[in-house]
Amino acid sequence: MDFLPFTRPSIDDATIAAVGEVLRSGWITTGPNCQRLEAELSAFCGGRPVRLVSSATASLEMALQIAGVGPGDEVVTCPLSWIATANVIMKVGATPVFVDADPATRNIDLDRLEAAITPRTRAVIPVDLAGLPVDRERLYAIAGRHGLRVVEDAAQSMGANWRGAPIGQTGDLVSFSFHANKNMTCGEGGCLVLNNEEEARLFEKLRLQGVTRFPDGTMDVDVLGGKANMTDIAAAIGLGQLKSLDAFNARRRELARLYFQHFDRELGCELPPQDFEQSNWHMFQPLLPLSRMAISRGEFIARMKEQGIGVGVHYPAMHLFTLFREQGYAAGRYPAAEDIGARTVTLPLFPAMRDEDVLRVCQAVSQTLRPVLS
Ligand SMILES: Cc1ncc(COP(=O)(O)O)c(C=O)c1O
């Protein structure tokens, strides 16, 4: 039986041909394909300026710079995310301040957000975990009351919406990832949705050594930039993917529905929030009933693998990583994030999956868990 990974990109022949064309063209770094993809992403985001980068980590870090975040500032976020979300805060010299997850949404607990805001808080980074959007109305109401910038970590929520408003069309700075596992990929890559051309211009400088080029061939550098431009090879993949994004996400929703229909409810797993309107179903993540299981999560993953099924973990609560423990964080500080982080498993969900694959995964989960439950 074929191995079923927890995710796999769908790249069509036209996209593969387009990549071949770029490779043959003699121009493989940032060029016309990047320009086209930026224009198409801007249309996708309701006409807002969008700029590409080599990763969403880079776009988040530069978004914080654009928001004026630096040493001495605090940035509020949730410990249940990919570590990039907190790393970028530290990279710009600021301090991450965590707010626990809401057990119902697994996103930042907006009831606790305000209590974490201090006079040093400059920004908040909400994360749409698994593609389920954070409540944008409540979030922006709180940010507005406290004069905070918002850098939306929408790495996982491309094509999702909040009450009908597509993520990226509204809000402050919005960062998407085009990493290989995302609903739309460029292999690697990301983009930032900005508020105006002035911010976009600064972003362009930050992503390429701070350089401004002039028509006479001369240049100047007036800010310290880095190297995070996207290649035309990656952009060619992105152009093909963007065409299919709606279809990909529709298929993901169908597969998620099938999971809800066929998942063995007697196992006592906690299924993810059942949102078929707003989420883009980037991942399907039940929480294991660990306290009733005679095996660990690692053993569960190993037994699923023996049955030909890939299972991921996204993510352990990040404040328990050594980097943060060394700063004084300890277990018990953010109990909801810790509980979710300890029990979560990512089951296969990607557009090319067949309906039968979902049944196969559900059966394997039952067969693995039933004999080891007390
Ligand atoms: C929530 C979240 N934030 C940030 C990132 C960083 O994205 P990238 O890998 O494109 O740098 C990711 C990617 O995995 C992510 O899932």
Side-chain angles (χ1 to χ4, degrees):
M1 199 181 287
D2 286 348
F3 186 78
L4 186 67
F6 72 78
T7 192
R8 187 166 57 206
S10 293
I11 314 275
D12 60 20
D13 288 344
T15 305
I16 294 170
V19 169
E21 252 174 65
V22 175
L23 294 176
R24 277 189 291 269
S25 74
W27 190 274
I28 59 178
T29 186
T30 310
N33 280 289
C34 286
Q35 268 182 5
R36 267 182 60 206
L37 184 55
E38 285 183 343
E40 291 192 15
L41 287 168
S42 174
F44 178 86
C45 294
R48 299 181 65 185
V50 179
R51 294 295 182 271
L52 291 166
V53 261
S54 53
S55 74
T57 305
S59 71
L60 286 168
E61 184 178 333
M62 294 189 285
L64 289 172
Q65 289 176 276
I66 285 174
V69 176
D73 295 331
E74 292 175 354
V75 178
V76 181
T77 193
C78 183
L80 204 59
S81 180
W82 175 230
I83 183 68
T85 312
N87 279 351
V88 294
I89 299 171
M90 293 184 285
K91 282 276 185 177
V92 299
T95 305
V97 171
F98 295 119
V99 167
D100 205 357
D102 173 346
T105 63
R106 306 178 187 174
N107 285 330
I108 192 167
D109 187 342
L110 294 173
D111 286 337
R112 295 171 189 270
L113 174 54
E114 230 156 351
I117 295 170
T118 75
R120 300 203 310 168
T121 310
R122 191 75 180 244
V124 53
I125 306 186
V127 182
D128 300 325
L129 196 68
L132 181 73
V134 171
D135 180 335
R136 294 297 196 272
E137 278 139 60
R138 284 190 67 198
L139 175 82
Y140 277 95
I142 297 169
R145 268 202 297 283
H146 296 273
L148 305 180
R149 291 297 299 261
V150 177
V151 176
E152 297 184 18
D153 184 345
Q156 303 185 2
S157 54
M158 183 93 185
N161 69 85
W162 175 255
R163 300 216 166 127
I167 300 304
Q169 287 201 4
T170 61
D172 193 351
L173 298 164
V174 184
S175 170
F176 291 115
S177 171
F178 305 132
H179 168 261
N181 287 354
K182 298 299 186 282
N183 291 28
M184 163 185 159
T185 186
C186 292
E188 294 283 358
C191 72
L192 191 69
V193 188
L194 302 115
N195 293 297
N196 52 53
E197 288 304 323
E198 194 187 334
E199 282 184 353
R201 186 67 208 109
L202 176 55
F203 190 79
E204 286 170 6
K205 288 197 268 188
L206 292 173
R207 80 179 164 185
L208 198 56
Q209 314 290 10
V211 167
T212 303
R213 290 180 188 278
F214 302 109
D216 66 356
T218 60
M219 63 175 81
D220 189 25
V221 176
D222 60 352
V223 293
L224 176 60
K227 169 74 174 165
N229 54 308
M230 181 181 269
T231 68
D232 254 28
I233 305 165
I237 303 173
L239 284 163
Q241 290 273 293
L242 186 56
K243 283 191 188 64
S244 303
L245 181 67
D246 285 348
F248 287 163
N249 287 347
R251 180 63 184 149
R252 284 174 176 276
R253 285 192 185 105
E254 271 172 21
L255 292 163
R257 273 187 200 279
L258 281 178
Y259 266 118
F260 282 99
Q261 276 166 26
H262 295 288
F263 204 92
D264 182 348
R265 303 301 175 110
E266 287 174 11
L267 299 173
C269 291
E270 217 174 290
L271 296 189
Q274 208 167 331
D275 179 318
F276 298 114
E277 303 297 320
Q278 303 180 112
S279 175
N280 67 359
W281 286 98
H282 173 56
M283 296 188 280
F284 185 84
Q285 300 175 298
L287 306 184
L288 295 174
L290 267 193
S291 60
R292 294 176 45 227
M293 285 164 54
I295 59 171
S296 66
R297 175 171 63 182
E299 185 58 31
F300 169 81
I301 293 170
R303 291 187 189 188
M304 290 291 285
K305 195 171 175 193
E306 280 164 17
Q307 296 168 80
I309 294 170
V311 174
V313 172
H314 306 91
Y315 301 95
M318 64 173 83
H319 65 285
L320 299 180
F321 291 144
T322 304
L323 185 66
F324 293 98
R325 285 185 185 273
E326 284 173 356
Q327 294 172 34
Y329 286 101
R333 184 85 176 264
Y334 305 107
E338 289 168 25
D339 177 56
I340 297 164
R343 297 199 289 133
T344 191
V345 283
T346 306
L347 299 182
L349 179 61
F350 54 90
M353 264 172 76
R354 299 161 307 175
D355 291 4
E356 312 86 89
D357 292 327
V358 174
L359 306 191
R360 185 179 146 201
V361 177
C362 289
Q363 273 164 9
V365 172
S366 292
Q367 275 163 24
T368 307
L369 287 183
R370 278 194 173 252
V372 300
L373 284 177
S374 57

